[in-house]
Amino acid sequence: MSLVSAIVFLGTPHHGSNLAKILNSLLAVSNPKQYVSDLAQASPMIEDINEQFRHFVTEVKIASFYESRYTSLGLKKMVIPFTNSTALCLLYQMIVEKQSAILGCSSEIAQPLDADHHQLCKFGDKNDSNYIMVKKTLASFLPSILGRGKGLVNFINVAKYPNSYPGNSTADMKADSMEKTSTLLAIQEAPEADLNFYSDRRMPETCSWILSYPAFTSWKDSTTVGHILWINGTAGSGKSILASFLVQHFQTEGFNCMYYFFRSGDKIQRSANTFLRSIAFQIAQKDSKYRAFLEELEGSGARFEKTELRLLWQKLFVPLSTKLNMLIPIYIIVDGLDESDAPQTLLMLLSHPTDIPLNFAIVSRSSSALSSGFDKFSNSRPVTRMSSEFNQDDISDFVKRELQMMHGNEMLRRDVTGEIIKRASGNFLWVHLVTQEILDCHTQGEIEQVLETIPNGMQPLYERIEDGMAKNLRPIDQKLARTLLSWAVCAQRPLSLEELAEAIEPTFPHIIDLKHTIGYICSSLLVVDRKSRVLLIHKTAREYLTKVSTGPLAIAPATSHNELFLRCISALCDPRLILQRRYSSIPSLVTYAARSWPFHLQAQAGDSETLTALMNFLQSTSILAWIQLLSTQDQLHILVQSSRSLSVFAERRRGFDASLAPNLRPLQALEAIDLWVTDLVKIVGKFGRNLLDLPNSIFKFIPPFCPTESIIHRQFGRRSTLLVSLSRHSNATWDDSLAKLFIGAASQTLRIMCIGRYFAILTTSDWVTLWNSATCQRSSEIIHGEHVITMCASNSGKLIATYGFRTTKVWDVSNGKEILSIPNPGQGKALGLRFSKNDGEIWVGSDDRKFWRISLSNADAGWQEFGPNLFSTEAALTGTKLNSPCSIAFNPDGTQIAVAFRGAPLTVWSVNQPELLARCRREWKDGGKANARPWTAADFVLWHPQSDEVLGIYQDSAVFKWHPLDETSQDLGIYASVINCSPDGDLFAASDMHGTIKIWKYYDFVLIYQLRCEYPVTDFTFSPDNRRLYDLRGSFCNVWEPNTLIRLSELESPGSENRSESGLTVTTSMSEAEVETVEPVSAVSVSPNGDIYCIGNTEGSVLVVHHEGYEVGELWSSPSFLPIENIVWGANGTRVAFRDLGGNVIVQDVEFFDRSPDKMGLSSHTVFKATVKDEIGSMNQLLLSPQCDLILIASPSSAQVWSVHTGLCTAKWRHEDNNAAFKWLNHPLNSSHLLAIEATKALSVSWQDLAQRDSFAFSIPKSHEPSKSSSTLDRIRKPSLPRSMSSDNINAEIGHAATTQDGLHVMIETAKFFQDHNKSERQLMFFYKADFKGTSSLISPRPIPTALFDQLQLPLGILSGERFIFLNNDNWLCSYRLDSEEGPAGVKRHFFLPRDWLNGECLELCQVTANGALVVPKGGDVAWIKSDLGVNCYLRLPTPKLESQ
């Protein structure tokens, strides 16, 4: 009932019906039915049901509709005069009278419907008045439903009820808002479930004593912000029930009250992270302003369920004082703090002085640790303590009420009641169990014996219960009881009745009523709550069974976890699961097994039976089905946790096997486990988005793309229809690189930062490029218009500020649009730039020792200087000079600023009241440099994001940390050129001058990762979720995703103080990666026969590679190591032309031969070599004539033809407009002509003299024009700045032109660049080759559905059968039949490319061969991918819906 919000009854006989008597009278002849008698009006059964129902639905909305027409009883064939009223009554009856159809609840809605009983729920259509009335009633329930948690918000789509009731738009907005909030905070279930569990167990009228207790009233009435009440008591004293009473009291009185119940037996419910998110969600339910604040955080890219506690507190609760509309105070009831996985951390967070209007009542068992924790912060926040054991009256009432049903006279009941109360000692649990046992007695002698023998205290009582079960239960029932208790004690979370029935089914099949069975054999130890979850009666029961008991019910955790693990693996290896993987219906236990087997594996000893079961799972397709299931449930983090569990198991097993002879050790099995340890993490990092998009891709597409030595490729890679081969076979093992992005040869990278779902790169040009962090694709460009010195992001992640030589500009991150431009203050160079805490101002510190701020809402007021005493020269030490600063950093809350000078020590200043706070004095280790001055100038400084510590680099490259408040400094023993911290402050990284990056855990300074790469690092940063590291090296940005970071980010309980209990202990061993320097592929060309291809790299080598991946031979190696820019094959398949960056053009003839039975070789010789001068501009194209005797060497606006045989230039051509851009093709119909193609026309020119013969203008109908794209196109040359524009401020550019693979079309790609050069309109055209026949004419392209452009990332050509081939925005290779009329629905997805394979450069080089193979450069290799595309066979997969069409 906890999940039910409203019930609608249609003609329901709540109070019975008179027709029941008539029906039984008719049945009397044969066999009257008892259940028919129970339907009679005012029957005891009916009244009992109504009474119970009203107890359960106090907060449920009720609507009852009743009939208003008589119902025909089907006696029409009888001839009865209508004048006879009795006969008429026999023909027509009111089946359920109004008084019976109305339940009688206080908030019930009762409405008549114009229908008889038969038609009451049968509506004619949407205009039926009955349908409209019922629909409006349902809609009126929505506002109260929408606040009850994610499950209900998902269940009801308010948009389906437009205009159904007043305020629908408001409810719709709130539903959408709460859905976003629920997703952001990762809320899994509504908080009411735990409240209902405890409130159901509370006896009416109990717990009210606390309302008049002085300690409680002083806390409740306190006007002090942040007042804390600590209610402590012993185990079993009713603390949780008391907490539920307080929640209901505050809610009834109209106060804002949030609550949380920690549960030790539930991994999620005992998480401190879950607690903070749940409280934030409850506040958002009640306060629209706070909800809007959380929506602003949605774009930050943070995963709050994985966020460290201190950072989570800072993000969700520190801003509360300015983000609330609701009236204060706000009361928060927290039960079971002692059962939390991080009680001391939570107390530390609560101890900070704050103006957050939250008053906490913390209910827990008393412990010295908690008492000490409260003592520590009683000076900073008021704390009131009280005991929960002033409950004698409650216990008395409870016992009296329970014993009302006891057999015997009043005197006996009074004596028994008095004895129980006398021995209770405030322990409700003890009282409950004792009264339960007494009520099972049948004689006074039995009752007296129970009272004489029953022990005081919980442990002796549990022993008595266990002994009783051993004596009274049959052996089979004892075994069942122990099995049920094992699941209740050791399960990762409480199981439902359905899950538990499936769990025990192999041993105890076909249990008729498990709930009844539990009540019969385990009622003293197990309970079933409203949600049908099976729970231990109390935490003390777990402690007894696992730590005290030696009887038949004793639980050995390691043994029980082994049993549970085997059952989970058995469920996952069920062949039926493989067959059902395409369907949503799966056994209930499977979901638990999929998420929890790693937990049980890590918690058990690891015997041979476990190893055998584990290997059967890992070696079968069951592991793929498991991965698919987790993907459908968005639970891929379980793969990372499983990796850690497998690692721990393998280590434990090796320790167990150390005493065995080597030939008896399961070495192969452990090696396979080690490989899966790596593969599971890498699958998440490399293919996570693909799995969420298409879960069954784990079967079809992912294994072939995995490295050849990975275990998943070994076992499953060859089963796929996808064939992937790479040159040089460098895809043998996993690497940590997710992407390598080329920023541009004309500029060097300077700085990188993460902004929500994007990362921004500042270069030496005047551009800042924004990249999508999910796809690693360029999103937009911010063009400042002058050199940019520095940049910063707003706290909300929605804005970015750039500081140039003359102006400061603010931009919208989502679209790259300029919002504000203001002149810079003074003449100084900005060293520190940030937004204020509320994003309302920009602050800047410059090298002229000035500190400025400007209001974004009042920019006309100009820059305002912070205090004249800031950076005052009077603060300099004797012998030092506060010259120009070299580094400036603001602390996280903007109240302090750290300034590094070249000739003075590092200093920290107060911002609000400008004054010097501290100077950094260097403490030399081991007494070294005793005569040195006590300070060293720093070159760089930054603040730790979660503490008051400053980190920096001294001028001798030594890294230090310094605490300005207590003036302690420490050299860290590191020498670095660049340092940074993760956003949550848990990680610290440093890069040295050689390009090696090291990462430490900050608080204990343990080295956990090292990345060796020979290129020096300019800058680096962590992603918001700590999973990635972005670094800048030269003109490249590298995206790294090491296993170490993924594992740390996927901790089940971030911030837990005892992670070993969860089985997820974090390793402190260091992992290391070394990046092999591979020269990237710079040019690719496939031979006409499609079996081999030629590749050139940035080192100047040209290689011929077979499609199976082996190298056929080397054609060229540049003596000057100049990058290869172009490669082109001749039509005869034996002549190859290529060009390097220095303008050297070489043509070679190639002869192939068989060098072995299964491999071919080659010999080659140069037939042409020339160095073409720069007089024709920047060359970008080579083209061989159809006869291969001439070669065209072209720039965008000019061209030359050279004879291959004579080596002489035979013709030159230059367009009159030097800014024009052309692409060249062999004429599809005339072998003696070429096509020179620009954005609006194609020129037909002669190979012999480059003279123009014909001109073909492009006629593009409006219906053919595509939608605008928000980013520039990498394939298309972006116009230089400034560039002349046409009258409409649009400039068209040719991007790509080619004859398609089917030989029937010419494909042309263009773009229109608008005045701001930040927007482009993409154009793709296909012409029949016959269109270029004859003399000059106006030609029109084939129509292409405009909506295809919403999917299109890269057009690749047309294969036979009219199949247009392209790469979509999600990196899927797709096909679409141009003769189809289906539109986007006709797009067929064939396979996807891993996201670490593609960047801007690689995209330009991708090609599809005539036989359907895809050729893709990958770093220094080229992948040849053969799929069903080449055999004209289509694989239909779901295509994303295009909502905008």
Side-chain angles (χ1 to χ4, degrees):
M1 290 301 298
S2 64
L3 296 180
V4 177
S5 294
I7 302 176
V8 175
F9 294 103
L10 296 169
T12 304
H14 296 301
H15 303 287
S17 173
N18 285 327
L19 292 179
K21 294 180 180 179
I22 298 175
L23 180 58
N24 245 354
S25 298
L26 295 174
L27 293 173
V29 179
S30 56
N31 185 19
K33 305 294 184 182
Q34 178 60 42
Y35 64 81
V36 176
S37 298
D38 289 338
L39 289 175
Q41 281 189 345
S43 72
M45 176 65 73
I46 288 284
E47 295 304 319
D48 184 53
I49 291 174
N50 287 340
E51 184 62 31
Q52 293 183 47
F53 183 73
R54 278 192 285 268
H55 173 71
F56 281 106
V57 295
T58 54
E59 297 183 5
V60 175
K61 301 291 185 181
I62 301 291
S64 296
F65 292 95
Y66 55 90
E67 59 214 63
S68 59
R69 291 178 176 268
Y70 289 97
T71 303
S72 170
L73 298 183
L75 303 176
K76 295 181 180 179
K77 292 184 178 180
M78 296 180 61
V79 181
I80 301 176
F82 281 96
T83 57
N84 189 326
S85 60
T86 304
L88 187 62
C89 291
L90 290 174
L91 285 173
Y92 296 94
Q93 283 281 343
M94 195 72 74
I95 303 297
V96 179
E97 300 284 349
K98 175 182 177 181
Q99 58 269 26
S100 180
I102 299 175
L103 184 61
C105 295
S106 58
S107 59
E108 180 181 13
I109 298 174
Q111 295 279 359
L113 293 180
D114 185 19
D116 61 18
H117 194 73
H118 290 159
Q119 302 300 318
L120 203 60
C121 59
K122 298 175 182 178
F123 308 118
D125 52 36
K126 291 184 178 181
N127 297 318
D128 189 323
S129 60
N130 291 338
Y131 171 80
I132 294 173
M133 182 176 294
V134 174
K135 184 182 75 169
K136 285 186 176 182
T137 302
L138 287 170
S140 69
F141 292 156
L142 291 177
S144 62
I145 294 175
L146 295 174
R148 297 194 60 182
K150 180 181 178 182
L152 292 172
V153 174
N154 282 335
F155 183 72
I156 299 176
N157 181 359
V158 190
K160 293 181 180 179
Y161 304 97
N163 304 318
S164 295
Y165 65 94
N168 179 58
S169 60
T170 303
D172 193 8
M173 291 172 62
K174 182 175 180 181
D176 181 64
S177 178
M178 287 309 304
E179 176 69 19
K180 292 179 180 178
T181 303
S182 178
T183 302
L184 175 70
L185 296 175
I187 301 300
Q188 296 188 11
E189 64 178 38
E192 291 90 347
D194 293 306
L195 176 63
N196 292 334
F197 174 74
Y198 290 112
S199 61
D200 287 348
R201 302 176 70 187
R202 183 176 70 85
M203 188 72 72
E205 308 304 326
T206 58
C207 299
S208 57
W209 61 268
I210 194 174
L211 300 180
S212 58
Y213 194 76
F216 174 79
T217 57
S218 67
W219 168 77
K220 178 182 177 183
D221 299 334
S222 174
T223 58
T224 305
V225 173
H227 195 161
I228 293 177
L229 173 67
W230 182 30
I231 305 173
N232 57 80
T234 58
S237 60
K239 300 183 299 297
S240 298
I241 293 176
L242 180 62
S244 70
F245 169 78
L246 290 178
V247 173
Q248 291 182 324
H249 166 72
F250 280 117
Q251 291 180 339
T252 302
E253 293 295 316
F255 289 99
N256 292 307
C257 180
M258 291 77 197
Y259 53 91
Y260 190 83
F261 293 83
F262 285 103
R263 284 191 178 182
S264 60
D266 190 321
K267 301 299 299 180
I268 296 176
Q269 283 297 108
R270 70 187 297 255
S271 165
N273 179 283
T274 305
F275 157 65
L276 293 179
R277 289 184 286 110
S278 177
I279 297 300
F281 179 74
Q282 293 176 62
I283 295 175
Q285 284 181 306
K286 297 177 180 294
D287 194 284
S288 59
K289 185 176 180 181
Y290 184 67
R291 192 162 60 246
F293 161 71
L294 291 180
E295 287 185 29
E296 293 179 359
L297 297 179
E298 186 182 14
S300 66
R303 300 171 64 208
F304 288 127
E305 73 274 22
K306 301 300 178 184
T307 301
E308 195 272 336
L309 295 179
R310 285 164 295 188
L311 182 59
L312 191 63
W313 177 267
Q314 181 183 14
K315 285 185 174 292
L316 297 182
F317 294 97
V318 171
L320 269 178
S321 58
T322 60
K323 303 297 182 182
L324 289 177
N325 278 331
M326 69 173 68
L327 297 176
I328 57 176
I330 301 171
Y331 296 102
I332 298 182
I333 313 299
V334 183
D335 176 64
L337 180 64
D338 55 304
E339 300 181 36
S340 163
D341 61 1
Q344 297 301 321
T345 304
L346 289 177
L347 287 180
M348 180 271 295
L349 294 175
L350 295 178
S351 68
H352 292 163
T354 179
D355 56 354
I356 301 174
L358 303 179
N359 290 349
F360 285 85
I362 297 174
V363 185
S364 73
R365 285 199 286 188
S366 180
S367 69
S368 58
L370 287 179
S371 182
S372 175
F374 282 111
D375 288 340
K376 289 179 181 178
F377 69 79
S378 57
N379 292 329
S380 59
R381 299 186 71 173
V383 177
T384 299
R385 307 180 187 214
M386 64 172 288
S387 172
S388 66
E389 297 174 21
F390 294 95
N391 56 0
Q392 197 69 13
D393 291 341
D394 287 348
I395 289 178
S396 178
D397 291 342
F398 175 80
V399 174
K400 291 176 182 178
R401 186 180 293 261
E402 287 293 294
L403 294 185
Q404 285 179 356
M405 303 300 295
M406 188 187 81
H407 300 290
N409 56 40
E410 183 62 31
M411 182 178 295
L412 177 61
R413 276 197 293 270
R414 187 168 59 249
D415 292 342
V416 172
T417 299
E419 180 67 16
I420 293 176
I421 293 172
K422 182 175 68 174
R423 298 171 59 183
S425 298
N427 193 318
F428 254 110
L429 179 60
W430 184 90
V431 170
H432 168 71
L433 293 174
V434 171
T435 55
Q436 189 179 53
E437 186 167 348
I438 287 176
L439 288 174
D440 289 335
C441 296
H442 299 285
T443 68
Q444 182 172 339
E446 288 182 55
I447 294 174
E448 292 173 350
Q449 184 180 9
V450 168
L451 292 176
E452 289 175 3
T453 59
I454 201 161
N456 295 332
M458 290 309 304
Q459 180 176 325
L461 182 57
Y462 283 134
E463 291 175 352
R464 176 187 173 89
I465 292 171
E466 184 178 19
D467 290 342
M469 293 173 68
K471 292 176 182 178
N472 300 325
L473 295 179
R474 298 175 302 165
I476 186 64
D477 289 339
Q478 290 185 36
K479 184 179 178 182
L480 174 58
R482 189 196 172 280
T483 301
L484 294 173
L485 290 172
S486 292
W487 281 98
V489 168
C490 296
Q492 191 174 23
R493 60 162 175 81
L495 269 65
S496 67
L497 285 170
E498 185 179 4
E499 290 173 327
L500 188 55
E502 291 180 9
I504 65 176
E505 185 176 6
T507 309
F508 303 97
H510 311 304
I511 292 180
I512 299 174
D513 186 344
L514 183 58
K515 183 176 182 180
H516 172 76
T517 301
I518 291 172
Y520 174 70
I521 66 174
C522 293
S523 61
S524 297
L525 296 175
L526 296 178
V527 295
V528 180
D529 70 2
R530 278 194 191 183
K531 297 176 66 177
S532 296
R533 296 180 302 178
V534 181
L535 308 169
L536 281 171
I537 194 167
H538 196 264
K539 177 183 178 181
T540 52
R542 174 180 286 102
E543 296 170 350
Y544 170 77
L545 292 170
T546 59
K547 299 177 181 180
V548 178
S549 174
T550 58
L553 300 182
I555 305 295
T559 303
S560 292
H561 278 294
N562 183 49
E563 295 169 354
L564 270 57
F565 166 77
L566 293 175
R567 181 65 187 99
C568 289
I569 288 297
S570 174
L572 293 174
C573 290
D574 189 334
R576 291 174 295 178
L577 182 62
I578 305 295
L579 298 176
Q580 293 174 340
R581 70 174 190 258
R582 292 186 178 90
Y583 307 100
S584 58
S585 175
I586 59 173
S588 298
L589 181 65
V590 168
T591 294
Y592 174 85
R595 302 185 189 189
S596 300
W597 72 258
F599 168 75
H600 297 301
L601 176 67
Q602 191 164 341
Q604 48 96 18
D607 57 20
S608 297
E609 185 182 11
T610 299
L611 180 61
T612 300
L614 179 62
M615 292 310 300
N616 289 338
F617 173 66
L618 296 179
Q619 292 174 345
S620 70
T621 52
S622 295
I623 190 171
L624 301 185
W626 168 65
I627 295 173
Q628 180 192 28
L629 176 62
L630 294 177
S631 303
T632 61
Q633 298 175 348
D634 195 10
Q635 295 291 318
L636 290 180
H637 65 277
I638 301 294
L639 298 186
V640 181
Q641 296 170 10
S642 304
S643 169
R644 178 58 192 156
S645 295
L646 289 171
S647 177
V648 171
F649 174 81
E651 292 173 11
R652 184 182 297 132
R653 182 70 197 195
R654 286 190 175 94
F656 175 78
D657 295 337
S659 60
L660 299 178
N663 63 325
L664 298 179
R665 300 173 186 172
L667 301 179
Q668 290 184 345
L670 294 179
E671 179 187 0
I673 292 174
D674 289 339
L675 291 173
W676 276 113
V677 166
T678 300
D679 282 17
L680 290 177
V681 180
K682 288 301 183 184
I683 287 170
V684 175
K686 303 279 187 179
F687 303 103
R689 290 183 69 249
N690 304 116
L691 282 168
L692 295 177
D693 174 47
L694 188 70
N696 69 358
S697 62
I698 190 64
F699 287 93
K700 300 181 179 181
F701 306 125
I702 291 177
F705 283 118
C706 295
T708 54
E709 294 183 11
S710 66
I711 189 73
I712 188 173
H713 185 94
R714 289 187 198 176
Q715 293 182 187
F716 308 111
R718 296 179 181 177
R719 302 185 187 184
S720 172
T721 58
L722 204 63
L723 179 63
V724 181
S725 59
L726 274 83
S727 61
R728 304 185 184 181
H729 300 286
S730 66
N731 196 40
T733 59
W734 296 105
D735 58 40
D736 290 340
S737 175
L738 193 62
K740 185 175 183 179
L741 311 175
F742 181 64
I743 309 303
S747 60
Q748 297 291 301
T749 56
L750 294 177
R751 191 181 170 207
I752 184 169
M753 65 181 182
C754 291
I755 317 169
R757 294 189 174 92
Y758 303 91
F759 57 95
I761 299 175
L762 173 63
T763 68
T764 52
S765 66
D766 59 351
W767 292 0
V768 173
T769 55
L770 286 171
W771 301 73
N772 187 303
S773 59
T775 63
C776 293
Q777 301 271 342
R778 191 190 304 257
S779 175
S780 62
E781 290 168 338
I782 291 173
I783 305 174
H784 190 100
E786 60 183 359
H787 177 69
V788 178
I789 298 171
T790 188
M791 63 179 179
C792 70
S794 65
N795 299 291
S796 66
K798 295 183 176 181
L799 303 176
I800 184 172
T802 54
Y803 193 98
F805 276 137
R806 302 178 187 84
T807 59
T808 299
K809 296 185 178 182
V810 181
W811 312 80
D812 187 327
V813 172
S814 63
N815 53 29
K817 287 185 177 180
E818 179 183 312
I819 296 176
L820 183 66
S821 178
I822 43 181
N824 289 342
Q827 301 298 319
K829 174 184 175 182
L831 298 177
L833 185 71
R834 69 161 286 170
F835 283 83
S836 61
K837 192 174 181 179
N838 62 0
D839 291 340
E841 296 181 338
I842 292 179
W843 299 349
V844 61
S846 56
D847 62 359
D848 58 358
R849 301 200 307 275
K850 299 289 187 182
F851 182 33
W852 306 86
R853 66 182 178 188
I854 190 169
S855 171
L856 298 184
S857 60
N858 188 23
D860 292 341
W863 295 89
Q864 307 295 318
E865 187 175 359
F866 276 91
N869 295 324
L870 198 61
F871 309 157
S872 170
T873 56
E874 297 176 1
L877 288 172
T878 304
T880 67
K881 182 179 180 182
L882 294 183
N883 50 12
S884 295
C886 56
S887 182
I888 293 176
F890 303 93
N891 72 339
D893 61 6
T895 59
Q896 297 174 12
I897 182 170
V899 186
F901 299 92
R902 292 182 177 85
L906 173 66
T907 56
V908 168
W909 305 72
S910 171
V911 172
N912 297 328
Q913 296 179 348
E915 61 178 339
L916 177 67
L917 297 180
R919 297 187 185 89
C920 179
R921 296 179 179 271
R922 187 172 189 178
E923 296 182 2
W924 300 97
K925 290 186 177 180
D926 302 324
K929 299 189 179 182
N931 297 325
R933 62 191 181 188
W935 60 269
T936 301
D939 283 337
F940 178 78
V941 61
L942 64 86
W943 288 85
H944 185 266
Q946 298 299 319
S947 72
D948 295 326
E949 292 181 324
V950 174
L951 295 149
I953 304 174
Y954 287 129
Q955 287 183 341
D956 60 0
S957 299
V959 180
F960 66 93
K961 68 176 179 179
W962 169 49
H963 201 298
L965 298 183
D966 58 22
E967 298 188 1
T968 58
S969 66
Q970 177 187 355
D971 274 27
L972 299 180
I974 306 167
Y975 291 88
S977 56
V978 185
I979 60 174
N980 209 341
C981 288
S982 62
D984 62 3
D986 273 1
L987 302 176
F988 171 75
S991 173
D992 61 24
M993 61 183 299
H994 303 293
T996 298
I997 297 178
K998 297 180 180 179
I999 302 177
W1000 292 263
K1001 293 173 68 177
Y1002 181 80
Y1003 293 104
D1004 51 14
F1005 222 74
V1006 174
L1007 182 64
I1008 60 172
Y1009 181 71
Q1010 179 171 284
L1011 174 69
R1012 296 183 182 273
C1013 189
E1014 65 180 41
Y1015 294 109
V1017 174
T1018 307
D1019 192 20
F1020 67 82
T1021 190
F1022 289 91
S1023 63
D1025 59 5
N1026 289 4
R1027 292 167 62 101
R1028 294 184 189 173
L1029 189 73
Y1030 300 89
D1031 74 33
L1032 302 179
R1033 303 173 191 257
S1035 297
F1036 290 90
C1037 171
N1038 295 288
V1039 185
W1040 310 100
E1041 197 166 67
N1043 281 14
T1044 299
L1045 296 188
I1046 296 177
R1047 287 196 180 101
L1048 286 174
S1049 70
E1050 292 294 352
L1051 287 177
E1052 187 175 4
S1053 300
S1056 173
E1057 294 163 5
N1058 190 4
R1059 288 179 183 147
S1060 60
E1061 290 184 6
S1062 68
L1064 290 169
T1065 307
V1066 182
T1067 180
T1068 56
S1069 59
M1070 190 270 290
S1071 63
E1072 185 171 3
E1074 186 163 356
V1075 181
E1076 179 184 358
T1077 302
V1078 179
E1079 294 299 328
V1081 171
S1082 55
V1084 179
S1085 182
V1086 180
S1087 68
N1089 64 18
D1091 289 333
I1092 58 176
Y1093 55 91
C1094 203
I1095 62 175
N1097 61 27
T1098 56
E1099 198 177 37
S1101 297
V1102 179
L1103 305 173
V1104 176
V1105 181
H1106 193 271
H1107 73 267
E1108 294 179 355
Y1110 67 86
E1111 183 179 318
V1112 179
E1114 183 178 61
L1115 296 184
W1116 181 258
S1117 181
S1118 172
S1120 53
F1121 303 101
L1122 294 174
I1124 302 301
E1125 296 281 296
N1126 300 104
I1127 301 178
V1128 60
W1129 284 87
N1132 58 16
T1134 60
R1135 181 161 286 181
V1136 182
F1138 46 89
R1139 178 186 64 84
D1140 65 22
L1141 186 62
N1144 299 304
V1145 179
I1146 298 98
V1147 179
Q1148 290 195 343
D1149 281 345
V1150 184
E1151 183 178 350
F1152 298 99
F1153 57 86
D1154 294 331
R1155 69 183 187 197
S1156 68
D1158 57 351
K1159 290 187 178 180
M1160 62 190 304
L1162 64 79
S1163 62
S1164 65
H1165 64 280
T1166 301
V1167 295
F1168 174 86
K1169 183 177 181 181
T1171 301
V1172 181
K1173 303 299 181 182
D1174 290 339
E1175 62 186 44
I1176 67 169
S1178 175
M1179 294 180 292
N1180 66 350
Q1181 192 174 1
L1182 296 180
L1183 184 65
L1184 285 168
S1185 65
Q1187 296 78 23
C1188 298
D1189 57 339
L1190 300 174
I1191 183 170
L1192 177 85
I1193 306 170
S1195 74
S1197 60
S1198 60
Q1200 298 180 8
V1201 173
W1202 292 65
S1203 169
V1204 173
H1205 301 304
T1206 65
L1208 299 176
C1209 179
T1210 61
K1212 292 184 179 182
W1213 176 89
R1214 179 182 296 277
H1215 195 272
E1216 58 186 11
D1217 181 4
N1218 290 333
N1219 288 323
F1222 287 83
K1223 294 291 183 180
W1224 296 79
L1225 297 177
N1226 278 306
H1227 198 291
L1229 299 174
N1230 190 337
S1231 61
S1232 63
H1233 286 186
L1234 304 96
L1235 289 180
I1237 303 173
E1238 63 170 350
T1240 58
K1241 64 179 181 293
L1243 307 177
S1244 177
V1245 299
S1246 169
W1247 263 107
Q1248 296 300 320
D1249 55 9
L1250 293 180
Q1252 179 178 332
R1253 298 293 191 264
D1254 300 297
S1255 177
F1256 304 93
F1258 304 150
S1259 174
I1260 306 172
K1262 286 290 183 182
S1263 61
H1264 191 74
E1265 292 187 359
S1267 57
K1268 292 183 180 179
S1269 170
S1270 62
S1271 62
T1272 57
L1273 308 175
D1274 292 329
R1275 291 168 66 102
I1276 300 176
R1277 184 189 70 163
K1278 190 165 187 176
S1280 57
L1281 295 174
R1283 174 71 188 267
S1284 59
M1285 292 283 182
S1286 59
S1287 58
D1288 57 355
N1289 294 321
I1290 298 175
N1291 184 65
E1293 292 284 344
I1294 180 71
H1296 182 68
T1299 302
T1300 58
Q1301 295 85 340
D1302 63 355
L1304 302 177
H1305 298 83
V1306 172
M1307 179 177 74
I1308 299 173
E1309 186 181 7
T1310 67
K1312 294 179 180 179
F1313 290 96
F1314 293 81
Q1315 186 175 29
D1316 60 5
H1317 294 268
N1318 199 41
K1319 292 287 184 182
S1320 61
E1321 186 178 85
R1322 195 171 190 172
Q1323 182 72 62
L1324 180 66
M1325 298 176 285
F1326 291 115
F1327 295 93
Y1328 287 109
K1329 69 176 183 179
D1331 291 337
F1332 299 94
K1333 182 179 181 180
T1335 57
S1336 301
S1337 60
L1338 187 67
I1339 59 177
S1340 299
R1342 295 192 63 175
I1344 303 173
T1346 303
L1348 278 185
F1349 283 85
D1350 294 334
Q1351 302 183 33
L1352 181 64
Q1353 179 180 192
L1354 179 72
L1356 292 169
I1358 301 176
L1359 297 182
S1360 60
E1362 297 275 299
R1363 291 175 295 162
F1364 168 41
I1365 311 301
F1366 64 94
L1367 203 65
N1368 76 1
N1369 292 321
D1370 294 322
N1371 295 336
W1372 278 84
L1373 187 72
C1374 302
S1375 64
Y1376 176 80
R1377 291 189 65 93
L1378 293 176
D1379 56 1
S1380 168
E1381 297 181 357
E1382 294 183 79
V1387 172
K1388 298 175 179 62
R1389 301 194 300 176
H1390 296 272
F1391 61 88
F1392 61 79
L1393 292 175
R1395 58 180 175 172
D1396 61 320
W1397 283 34
L1398 296 174
N1399 58 48
E1401 284 188 311
C1402 290
L1403 280 175
E1404 295 184 39
L1405 301 177
C1406 289
Q1407 301 177 31
V1408 168
T1409 66
N1411 58 12
L1414 178 66
V1415 181
V1416 186
K1418 178 184 179 294
D1421 300 322
V1422 172
W1424 182 285
I1425 305 173
K1426 188 176 181 180
S1427 69
D1428 61 347
L1429 184 64
V1431 294
N1432 202 16
C1433 175
Y1434 300 114
L1435 175 66
R1436 278 196 176 273
L1437 297 173
T1439 302
K1441 295 181 180 179
L1442 303 176
E1443 301 291 346
S1444 60
Q1445 296 171 37

